[in-house]
Amino acid sequence: MDMDFEVNMNEYLPLRDVVFNTLRKAILRGELKPGERLMEIQLANKLGVSRTPIREAIRKLELEGLVLMIPRKGAEVAQITEKNMQDVLEVRKALEELSVQLACERITAEQVEEMKMAAEDFRKVLKSGDVTKIAEADVKFHDIIFAATNNQRLITLLNNLREQMYRFRVEYLKQKECYPQLLEEHDKLIALISGGEVEEACELMGCHIDNQASTVSDVIRRDQVEYHR
């Protein structure tokens, strides 16, 4: 088990919740990989806690569908399934197309500049090869579009979906061959949104997410073949 993550203690949260959040983030970011066994003793030693909060966290992760309990084998990180991805990205597509539509009508000049800076930051961080940082830069770019809607209910819905989207975003951003197209899509989105081109911007956002779904589907199929060999 390759564990590059660390626990961040929070005095306002029970230890079991701190451990749960730590393991959940590690799974969503791909630091704990699909199919990887979750060994209670190793995790307890790594995080400097007893086995009890580890066991409680694993139970909660199982309820979220991020962990599977395998008879006579124990807990392991759940595989990413196409159905789960499609369900999440269908919702994301609908919400992000709406956010683009509203952003076209409401975005300010200041927010346009913020989008340009976020796109440039994203371009720079691609060179680092750090998928976590790349994903965070991509999230920042999309967050500016969300903020431009000036619709707090929509922003809340998108934020609630953020963690579920994150796992697929990371898998997509691991595929470096997608970077040129992604950079081009970011630049086009800035031009279309700032120009108020609603129909074209919504179509591009839909294609942006469809491209992600197609790429991650290929990754899932490939990983399933490798997993069952």
Side-chain angles (χ1 to χ4, degrees), residues 3 5-9 15 18-19 22 40-54:
M3 297 186 292
F5 56 92
E6 295 181 354
V7 64
N8 293 314
M9 292 300 177
L15 181 59
V18 172
V19 172
T22 300
E40 289 183 13
I41 295 177
Q42 290 185 25
L43 288 170
N45 291 337
K46 165 66 178 177
L47 301 182
V49 299
S50 70
R51 294 175 64 179
T52 299
I54 298 291

Side-chain angles (χ1 to χ4, degrees), residues 88-96 142 161 165 169 212:
V88 171
L89 292 187
E90 281 177 0
V91 177
R92 178 189 172 190
K93 183 177 179 179
L95 293 178
E96 292 221 30
H142 285 265
L161 195 63
M165 294 191 299
R169 176 178 261 120
Q212 179 175 327

Side-chain angles (χ1 to χ4, degrees), residues 196-229:
E197 302 291 339
V198 176
E199 185 175 342
E200 292 88 344
C202 288
E203 182 178 356
L204 178 58
M205 180 57 81
C207 290
H208 180 72
I209 296 171
D210 286 342
N211 289 337
Q212 179 175 327
S214 176
T215 299
V216 178
S217 288
D218 290 341
V219 172
I220 292 170
R221 295 187 193 112
R222 184 190 66 209
D223 287 350
Q224 286 176 339
V225 170
E226 293 294 327
Y227 180 73
H228 291 292
R229 278 182 179 175

